């Protein structure tokens, strides 16, 4: 392993470690304002949506393929929390869509 590779790994470790330790050190024993806490609780959902939604829209050239699959998965997810059932339902709906169009 070259020195450059070691320096890259060390740099990535430092860059990863600082954002994790900094809030722990600066916020130790302090209470966050409720509005900030409420905003931070929504960050994972927003990030997950931002990661998934473009993939749904551009999975194929036909944009409706992704939209229909996403809607099918959303509807089944509203009815049940079984992930396997959600995936199978979306696959079934998209298979029917592919067969018809």
């Amino acid at each position: 392993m070259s020195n450059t590779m070691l320096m890259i790994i060390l740099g990535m470790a430092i860059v990863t470690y600082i954002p994790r330790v900094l809030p722990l050190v600066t916020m130790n024993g302090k209470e966050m304002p409720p509005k900030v806490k409420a905003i931070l609780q929504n960050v994972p959902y927003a990030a997950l949506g931002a990661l998934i939604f473009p993939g749904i829209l551009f999975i194929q050239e036909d944009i409706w393929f992704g939209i229909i699959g996403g809607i099918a998965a959303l509807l089944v997810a509203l009815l049940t929390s079984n992930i396997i059932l959600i995936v199978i339902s979306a696959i079934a709906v998209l298979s029917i869509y592919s067969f018809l169009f």
Side-chain angles (χ1 to χ4, degrees), residues 3-67:
N3 284 340
T4 304
M5 186 67 75
L6 286 174
M7 294 302 287
I8 290 172
I9 292 172
L10 182 65
M12 288 189 301
I14 290 170
V15 169
T16 302
Y17 186 72
I18 288 174
R20 292 170 191 239
V21 170
L22 199 60
L24 184 67
V25 172
T26 59
M27 298 292 291
N28 190 16
K30 295 178 184 173
E31 189 72 25
M32 262 193 259
K35 283 188 177 183
V36 173
K37 206 172 193 177
I39 290 171
L40 290 177
Q41 286 176 344
N42 293 328
V43 168
Y45 305 113
L48 188 62
L51 290 172
I52 291 174
F53 195 68
I56 288 174
L57 291 180
F58 301 113
I59 192 146
Q60 276 199 351
E61 292 178 13
D62 182 11
I63 196 168
W64 286 104
F65 189 82
I67 291 172

